[in-house]
Amino acid sequence: MNSIDIKTITIAEALPIRHRVLWPNKPISFCSVEGDDTASHYGAFIDKRLVCVASIYINNNEARLRKFATLPQYQGQKIGSRVIEHILSDLKCSDVNYFWCDARKTALSFYQRFGLCSHGEPFQKSGISYLRMSVSLR
């Protein structure tokens, strides 16, 4: 595989990937969330093509991962892993102490590889089952 270039992107760049991967049967507006205008958005590029996006919302000393999506033809190639590693590296150099997300149940083992542990009972959002996962960064 060609090299992966991970950098910050705009919400306008992130939305089409979110829409295509996470909620293709909903309007693109469904893929926007409160805080998008102040969040940090990351993108992974292969041959200058955006193939993976992730957004980080910081509140005090906590960082929340939301809307993490990789184009289907690029899944299973460790691109998402590289994005999470990049984000965690950035966060460890900041004042953030705690990293968390609401993970789709189908992705639990992915997040566990980065030290995240699940908390509480599964819950539903738009017909998808999720679990809260988190890790301390300090």
Side-chain angles (χ1 to χ4, degrees):
M1 178 175 41
N2 296 326
S3 66
I4 302 168
D5 183 24
I6 300 168
K7 58 187 177 183
T8 56
I9 60 172
T10 66
I11 183 57
E13 291 172 295
L15 276 174
I17 304 286
R18 283 183 185 177
H19 182 243
R20 184 168 164 197
V21 175
L22 299 175
W23 302 107
N25 299 324
K26 304 270 188 183
I28 197 164
S29 60
F30 185 83
C31 300
S32 294
V33 294
E34 185 179 341
D36 271 343
D37 53 339
T38 57
S40 296
H41 307 283
Y42 291 82
F45 293 80
I46 294 180
D47 294 330
K48 299 183 181 178
R49 180 178 185 204
L50 182 60
V51 301
C52 177
V53 299
S55 298
I56 300 296
Y57 304 79
I58 296 178
N59 183 14
N60 297 318
N61 291 8
E62 292 186 3
R64 180 181 184 186
L65 170 69
R66 295 189 77 184
K67 306 300 180 189
F68 179 37
T70 303
L71 291 175
Q73 63 268 40
Y74 292 93
Q75 292 176 8
Q77 299 177 34
K78 302 210 181 303
I79 297 166
S81 293
R82 294 276 303 279
V83 170
I84 296 297
E85 289 166 356
H86 184 94
I87 290 168
L88 289 173
S89 177
D90 280 0
L91 291 174
K92 287 176 181 174
C93 295
S94 72
D95 293 332
V96 171
N97 298 323
Y98 185 75
F99 177 73
W100 69 280
C101 67
D102 290 338
R104 290 182 182 207
K105 278 184 71 177
T106 55
L108 293 185
S109 63
F110 172 83
Y111 291 107
Q112 289 168 339
R113 288 196 298 256
F114 302 98
L116 279 79
C117 297
S118 59
H119 306 278
E121 295 298 317
F123 57 94
Q124 299 276 315
K125 286 197 278 188
S126 300
I128 306 271
S129 191
Y130 290 82
L131 271 167
R132 171 91 19 108
M133 298 188 80
S134 67
V135 65
S136 173
L137 301 178
R138 301 283 176 249

